[in-house]
């Protein structure tokens, strides 16, 4: 299943609708890395609310997305990790360190506004 | 272990089958009355075990069945393959040990998540990993 990527102003929002095959996760990673350039996006929000499992492969791919997007000059935030998913991730030993996570899409948009505003200030020396 | 029917068995040959196994195992968990946290743990464990089958044995089976050991009830998850086997079982149970470039959290992680865990491996003939989650 392909993940729809929506363009919302300066951000891309990838909204995962169902459980994903490994190949779908890789395709999502590649599409985001590409489109962040196409649309000159400042940030990427990955909404995983619908994912019932974040196993070691999914976490590794999310980390790769965050690293690749950072190298492309934009920010990434993961939103919507469900409580029981967080529980099993911690038990498994997956901390998703170095990747920003917030509660939901609303918080994700606020996070992006804060982060990209700060970047703009830095850019123009304010 | 007493098998009380309701066995689900999924052949793992591609990443699509990992999803199917996860779904079947979760549905069995729901039928057995497990709560959301346990269901996530069951689905995640199946995911890790099924991916190991693909990575190391190319294919294999995930089998889940209910277990009833009065007064406890639970679910058994088994991953079975006829792959190369694991020469050093102790090593693969250490966090961070990986021969595939992965995170090496799969088997030790499953052991942490589940209540009981066992590996039987015969080099050259295959591996069987068995894990149990008890209700409550």
């Amino acid at each position: 299943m392909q993940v729809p990527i929506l363009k919302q102003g300066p951000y891309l929002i990838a909204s995962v609708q169902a459980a994903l095959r490994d190949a779908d996760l890789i395709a999502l990673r590649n599409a985001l890395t590409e489109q962040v350039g196409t649309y000159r996006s400042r940030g990427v929000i990955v909404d995983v609310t619908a994912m019932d499992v974040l196993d070691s492969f999914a976490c590794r791919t999310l980390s790769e997305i965050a690293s690749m997007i950072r190298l492309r000059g934009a920010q990434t935030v993961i939103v919507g990790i469900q409580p029981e998913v967080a529980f099993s991730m911690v038990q498994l030993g997956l901390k998703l360190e170095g990747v920003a996570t917030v509660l939901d899409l609303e918080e994700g948009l606020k996070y992006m506004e804060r982060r990209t505003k700060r970047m703009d200030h830095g850019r123009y020396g304010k | 272990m007493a098998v009380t029917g309701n066995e689900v068995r999924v052949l793992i040959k591609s990443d699509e089958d990992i999803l199917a196994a996860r779904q079947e195992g979760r549905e069995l968990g729901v039928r057995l009355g497990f709560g959301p946290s346990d269901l996530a743990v069951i689905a995640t464990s199946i995911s890790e075990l099924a991916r190991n089958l693909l990575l190391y044995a190319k294919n294999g089976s995930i089998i889940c069945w209910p277990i009833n050991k009065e007064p406890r009830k639970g679910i058994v998850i088994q991953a079975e393959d006829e792959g190369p086997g694991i020469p050093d079982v102790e090593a693969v149970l250490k966090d961070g040990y990986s021969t595939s470039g992965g995170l090496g959290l799969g088997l030790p992680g499953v052991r942490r998540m589940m209540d009981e865990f066992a590996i039987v491996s015969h080099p050259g003939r295959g591996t069987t990993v068995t894990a149990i989650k008890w209700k409550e």
Side-chain angles (χ1 to χ4, degrees):
Chain A
M1 177 186 284
Q2 217 183 330
V3 178
I5 299 173
L6 310 172
K7 186 177 171 297
Q8 163 101 20
Y11 313 125
L12 294 177
I13 303 174
S15 190
V16 180
Q17 309 286 325
L20 295 180
R21 292 180 305 142
D22 297 354
D24 301 324
L25 275 162
I26 297 293
L28 174 64
R29 182 196 71 192
N30 297 345
L32 286 172
T33 313
E34 188 69 39
Q35 288 184 28
V36 91
T38 310
Y39 298 113
R40 308 190 73 79
S41 303
R42 313 296 305 279
V44 169
I45 301 173
V46 182
D47 187 352
V48 298
T49 307
M51 291 184 83
D52 65 340
V53 167
L54 283 172
D55 62 4
S56 57
F57 185 85
C59 284
R60 190 169 71 180
T61 311
L62 289 176
S63 291
E64 284 172 0
I65 289 175
S67 301
M68 289 166 74
I69 297 300
R70 187 180 54 79
L71 290 170
R72 298 279 277 151
Q75 308 284 323
T76 302
V77 65
I78 310 296
V79 310
I81 297 178
Q82 295 302 296
E84 60 273 16
V85 174
F87 173 78
S88 52
M89 283 171 70
V90 169
Q91 294 235 306
L92 193 54
L94 300 166
K95 299 176 192 134
L96 215 53
E97 274 166 326
V99 180
T101 56
V102 297
L103 186 66
D104 54 19
L105 190 53
E106 190 183 333
E107 292 299 323
L109 284 163
K110 282 189 207 157
Y111 172 90
M112 276 303 166
E113 268 158 38
R114 283 198 306 273
R115 286 302 301 251
T116 52
K117 213 168 270 170
R118 195 179 306 156
M119 273 172 67
D120 288 341
H121 281 257
R123 190 167 293 178
Y124 301 117
K126 280 177 193 164
Chain B
M1 277 176 281
V3 180
T4 53
N6 300 317
E7 178 189 285
V8 295
R9 178 183 282 265
V10 178
L11 218 63
I12 308 293
K13 298 188 307 290
S14 75
D15 61 354
E16 191 117 36
D17 302 324
I18 300 179
L19 287 193
R22 217 150 86 180
Q23 191 58 35
E24 295 269 348
R26 171 183 281 274
E27 278 166 19
L28 178 59
V30 169
R31 287 200 295 279
L32 298 176
F34 280 99
S37 293
D38 283 341
L39 290 173
V41 159
I42 289 165
T44 308
S45 296
I46 292 174
S47 208
E48 296 296 327
L49 294 176
R51 187 165 291 101
N52 274 357
L53 292 177
L54 275 186
L55 269 175
Y56 299 107
K58 304 281 179 260
N59 61 68
S61 297
I62 293 285
I63 311 137
C64 304
W65 67 88
I67 181 169
N68 200 342
K69 229 179 181 179
E70 287 302 335
R72 294 194 295 179
K73 287 185 163 84
I75 186 171
V76 183
I77 300 171
Q78 195 165 72
E80 196 182 72
D81 70 64
E82 293 174 359
I86 302 168
D88 187 352
V89 170
E90 287 300 312
V92 300
L93 289 174
K94 290 199 182 93
D95 270 332
Y97 178 90
S98 175
T99 56
S100 68
L103 296 170
L105 288 171
L107 288 176
V110 172
R111 182 161 72 163
R112 265 196 301 276
M113 284 191 288
M114 301 289 284
D115 297 322
E116 291 182 38
F117 181 89
I119 300 182
V120 179
S121 189
H122 301 287
R125 282 196 289 141
T127 303
T128 303
V129 180
T130 310
I132 300 177
K133 187 83 207 169
W134 296 110
K135 254 183 81 179
E136 246 71 14

